[in-house]
Amino acid sequence: MDQDHRAREALVAEALGDISELLDRVEGLAPTLSSTCEAVTQASKQLEAQVAALESRMKRLADHAQDVAVKHIAQRTRELMHAAAEAEHQSMAALARALFLSELNPSLKSLLRAANDCARYQSSPRINWWACALSAVASAILVGVLAIQTLSP
């Protein structure tokens, strides 16, 4: 038993030596762990500062993008409104021309026909110049009134 007891003591002594060696190593790591902890803390603080700066830059970028989008939408809306107004103007002008031709053309032809008839029969005693002139003036007044009514909004 003595031998078993000695073997145990040797094992315990060897284990104590190993534990002592491990403790020495752990104590040697303490400064390294401390400096590593400080480096991680410093990196964390730097990262927080960079994130804060990035947040403000992203906010400015988003605000700028919003301003550009609003200006683009406003410009495009103005262009569409001008195009619609121009199309409406052209449509109304075309309608006015069509109405003018459909309503006034027959009156103008009648006026020309009456003037031509008066000129053709100028030597005839049956044609009264006053009647021709009165007919021409009446036709001209009629054409003017129709033109004003057609072109007025």
Side-chain angles (χ1 to χ4, degrees):
M1 283 236 217
D2 216 11
Q3 203 173 9
D4 285 336
H5 188 50
R6 279 191 207 150
R8 274 191 221 146
E9 284 180 5
L11 282 174
V12 168
E14 190 178 328
L16 286 175
D18 287 344
I19 289 173
S20 174
E21 189 179 317
L22 280 174
L23 285 173
D24 289 342
R25 283 184 175 176
V26 168
E27 285 177 359
L29 286 176
T32 304
L33 287 175
S34 177
S35 67
T36 302
C37 182
E38 286 179 28
V40 167
T41 302
Q42 186 65 27
S44 175
K45 287 179 183 177
Q46 288 176 349
L47 187 57
E48 285 176 3
Q50 289 175 350
V51 165
L54 181 63
E55 283 178 350
S56 69
R57 283 182 24 208
M58 291 303 289
K59 172 113 175 72
R60 284 194 314 268
L61 182 63
D63 289 345
H64 177 70
Q66 183 180 4
D67 289 346
V68 168
V70 166
K71 287 177 184 174
H72 176 73
I73 290 169
Q75 176 64 30
R76 191 69 182 117
T77 301
R78 278 192 298 275
E79 290 171 0
L80 288 173
M81 286 175 44
H82 288 304
E86 180 62 28
E88 182 70 20
H89 178 265
Q90 289 176 358
S91 173
M92 291 180 76
L95 178 64
R97 279 191 301 275
L99 282 174
F100 188 80
L101 289 176
S102 68
E103 296 296 322
L104 296 180
N105 215 15
S107 299
L108 287 173
K109 285 182 181 178
S110 171
L111 176 63
L112 283 174
R113 194 171 35 253
N116 285 337
D117 288 346
C118 282
R120 198 173 317 132
Y121 299 113
Q122 66 182 341
S123 61
S124 172
R126 291 185 305 172
I127 298 296
N128 185 346
W129 280 103
W130 288 107
C132 281
L134 185 61
S135 174
V137 168
S139 295
I141 290 172
L142 177 64
V143 168
V145 168
L146 285 174
I148 289 171
Q149 275 202 323
T150 302
L151 297 178
S152 67

